[in-house]
Amino acid sequence: MGAERLQVTTTSSARGFIKLSKSLNQQIKQLLQQRNISFQQWQHSDAVDCYQSAALRGTPLHLGGKSLLFKSRRGFSMFVISAAYRINSNRVRKILQQQKVRFANEQELKELAGVSKGALPPFGGRFIDCELFIDETIYANQEIVFTCGSLTESISMQVSDYLALVEGTRVDCCHPL
């Protein structure tokens, strides 16, 4: 089963950001519309991982923005990497200056972001209370595609627009699969 692809071009003149008590998915789409950022969205069947998401969307794996949430003594930290790469936990520990780091568990994902595993969008710091680190592999692409708070919905947008919306630290934290 393929994905239904919708082209969305916004024309709203609204500026600024107001966080509402809406789902993370709705908040992200509202922000994109307020900022007049063009994006595409896909409705597709459940995707359990980045490979399946890319296949359902019909997009190259390397354009996928994989969001990984870590927990350490300093709190939560999100790392966004290309889906065609694997996180290097030694580099993560060095970046965070922590001996021990672990992936956030399902309950923590629900409490912090209101999402399940695999549905975390790459907007740490803006909508999710955590530090944001963006890997070099994201900067290498012109487009980023990500699940948007749901295992059945994805969004793509220009990397330049994404980077203008988030405040993340540029890092080198992964290696090819």
Side-chain angles (χ1 to χ4, degrees):
M1 176 183 233
E4 177 185 347
R5 187 175 181 154
L6 307 169
Q7 175 69 39
V8 178
T9 304
T10 61
T11 56
S12 170
S13 63
R15 297 285 180 217
F17 167 69
I18 301 170
K19 188 171 181 179
L20 303 173
S21 59
K22 295 181 177 181
S23 74
L24 188 54
N25 173 293
Q26 292 170 323
Q27 290 178 52
I28 289 169
K29 288 191 280 190
Q30 180 180 2
L31 176 65
L32 297 176
Q33 291 167 349
Q34 286 176 342
R35 299 289 175 90
N36 293 322
I37 295 174
S38 292
F39 63 101
Q40 295 177 338
Q41 70 185 72
W42 287 266
Q43 297 292 327
H44 48 74
S45 28
D46 275 3
V48 296
D49 60 29
C50 55
Y51 304 104
Q52 193 175 35
S53 292
L56 288 168
R57 294 185 300 248
T59 58
L61 183 63
H62 74 278
L63 295 181
K66 187 166 33 174
S67 302
L68 304 167
L69 190 63
F70 287 91
K71 173 87 190 255
S72 70
R73 285 189 178 170
R74 79 191 249 175
F76 289 100
S77 303
M78 180 185 294
F79 285 77
V80 180
I81 67 173
S82 166
Y85 287 76
R86 180 177 304 173
I87 195 84
N88 182 318
S89 58
N90 288 330
R91 290 184 190 164
V92 169
R93 284 194 291 276
K94 285 181 183 177
I95 290 165
L96 296 177
Q97 299 176 343
Q98 298 290 303
Q99 290 290 328
K100 294 182 180 181
V101 297
R102 66 169 174 80
F103 287 110
N105 62 39
E106 193 78 34
Q107 181 180 348
E108 290 165 334
L109 279 168
K110 281 282 188 204
E111 289 173 3
L112 193 66
V115 301
S116 60
K117 182 181 176 188
L120 185 65
F123 285 85
R126 176 166 283 283
F127 298 111
I128 303 163
D129 187 19
C130 64
E131 292 179 279
L132 178 64
F133 298 91
I134 304 167
D135 187 73
E136 295 286 342
T137 57
I138 298 299
Y139 291 84
N141 295 322
Q142 291 185 349
E143 184 179 357
I144 184 171
V145 186
F146 53 89
T147 54
C148 191
S150 164
L151 296 175
T152 61
E153 186 168 349
S154 297
I155 285 183
S156 71
M157 60 190 296
Q158 295 296 305
V159 167
S160 57
D161 289 333
Y162 165 71
L163 293 172
L165 291 175
V166 298
E167 292 183 21
T169 302
R170 188 173 183 160
V171 295
D172 179 10
C173 65
C174 62
H175 51 79
L177 293 174

